[in-house]
Amino acid sequence: MESADFARLRYATLELRLSIEALTYDRAQAFSAEIPPTDYGTWQPKKLLQVLLDIDPHVDQASTLRFGEEEITGQPAGEMHSLGTETVFDLRALKKHYDALGSFLHMPTLKQIEGNANIDFSKLRSRCEHIVVDLEAALGSPVFNITLGSFAQIECVECGKPVRKRFPSGPEAVEAHCFACPASYRLTLVGAGRVHWQSLQQDIVCPTDSCLHVFAIWSREIKQGAYWTCPKCQMRYVIGYAFQRDPAARNENLPESPQAS
């Protein structure tokens, strides 16, 4: 980074960008069991960290790990001992630095070439130095990738696979999705470490006149182009958009659209 040779500074920029990616991927591995398979291949650090924030809103915040022996069960220990504080490379730092570094790793645009835009080497070097400080603080933490949490787990009623989710942190409900099938659940904390699981399903009446069988499909299955088969008459239907006349509308002349004067 101290070199006056732009090629060397550019290489340092590339290495720093790769370091940011590696640090984010390493943090994501601690949550591998909670990341949906569709998001596991996400390579952009900002998008991946946002996935982690959806799992744990505190994932990009510094935290301190302490322990102590309870003198009375259920009561906080009188004396606590610190194992250290973890400093993280948070979403704010990612947004600030990652794309800015990337702009120096591509060829100039036609507009930049025509405008004779020059690269500010001193500004780039200063940014790299700030990133090094932030990366060293994260990598030098005495504790790393703290992922403590309370979890609820059940066997999916649809496929039998385990569904695991963090307890909601407040009275609001959270959703949990089975990674093996379309099943979804709403979790609500009901007190004393107990969680209520509600299946997110929609009752469907078979449109076949001679059938009218009522059955349930998962909410995640209700989307454009999806199809389902009635378990009774075996008639197959597809979900799509359609126009339908409003049954409340009367056969009267509707007012004309306003005309511009």
Side-chain angles (χ1 to χ4, degrees):
M1 291 191 302
E2 297 177 356
S3 173
D5 185 352
F6 172 64
R8 294 174 64 86
L9 181 58
R10 195 179 196 185
Y11 175 73
T13 301
L14 174 61
E15 288 289 348
L16 284 177
R17 202 165 190 257
L18 294 175
S19 298
I20 293 173
E21 292 176 352
L23 191 62
T24 306
Y25 298 162
D26 186 79
R27 192 154 189 79
Q29 284 184 328
F31 294 83
S32 59
E34 301 176 72
I35 298 177
T38 53
D39 295 322
Y40 202 76
T42 301
W43 66 268
Q44 299 96 327
K46 287 189 296 184
K47 291 184 178 180
L48 183 57
L49 187 53
Q50 190 60 62
V51 172
L52 300 183
L53 286 168
D54 291 339
I55 297 172
D56 181 3
H58 307 293
V59 73
D60 75 332
Q61 299 176 13
S63 55
T64 300
L65 189 61
R66 299 184 178 92
F67 71 96
E69 183 178 357
E70 295 179 349
E71 297 179 1
I72 302 176
T73 302
Q75 297 294 325
E79 183 180 0
M80 300 293 291
H81 305 276
S82 176
L83 291 177
T85 297
E86 178 183 20
T87 302
V88 299
F89 199 85
D90 58 20
L91 185 61
R92 180 193 60 80
L94 269 176
K95 290 180 176 179
K96 180 179 179 181
H97 297 306
Y98 187 75
D99 289 340
L101 289 180
S103 65
F104 295 101
L105 300 176
H106 301 282
M107 291 297 296
T109 64
L110 295 177
K111 183 177 180 180
Q112 290 172 327
I113 294 174
E114 292 175 353
N116 294 321
N118 296 319
I119 297 176
D120 189 339
F121 295 102
S122 61
K123 184 177 180 180
L124 173 59
R125 186 176 291 106
S126 176
R127 180 180 292 275
C128 289
E129 291 171 351
H130 281 93
I131 294 174
V132 168
V133 171
D134 290 343
L135 288 174
E136 288 182 342
L139 293 171
S141 298
V143 289
F144 204 65
N145 284 349
I146 299 176
T147 57
L148 299 178
S150 299
F151 298 86
Q153 180 171 318
I154 63 169
E155 289 186 0
C156 179
V157 298
E158 178 73 17
C159 67
K161 300 293 184 180
V163 181
R164 187 169 181 260
K165 185 69 176 180
R166 291 175 182 262
F167 281 171
S169 57
E172 71 279 2
V174 296
E175 289 189 8
H177 305 294
C178 180
F179 294 159
C181 74
S184 295
Y185 306 88
R186 179 176 289 110
L187 281 70
T188 306
L189 191 63
V190 294
R194 297 172 57 227
V195 174
H196 174 70
W197 291 73
Q198 176 188 356
S199 299
L200 296 180
Q201 294 178 308
Q202 179 71 42
D203 287 337
I204 299 295
V205 179
C206 178
T208 305
D209 293 336
S210 59
C211 180
L212 302 179
H213 178 66
V214 179
F215 59 97
I217 63 174
W218 295 98
S219 298
R220 289 166 67 193
E221 295 179 296
I222 304 176
K223 56 186 178 180
Q224 173 73 8
Y227 63 87
W228 45 267
T229 302
C230 175
K232 182 178 180 181
C233 69
Q234 299 301 309
M235 184 65 70
R236 174 168 158 165
Y237 291 92
V238 64
I239 299 175
Y241 297 118
F243 289 101
Q244 180 178 350
R245 181 171 179 170
D246 184 357
R250 294 179 297 176
N251 294 325
E252 296 179 356
N253 293 328
L254 300 177
E256 295 183 358
S257 301
Q259 300 294 324
S261 58

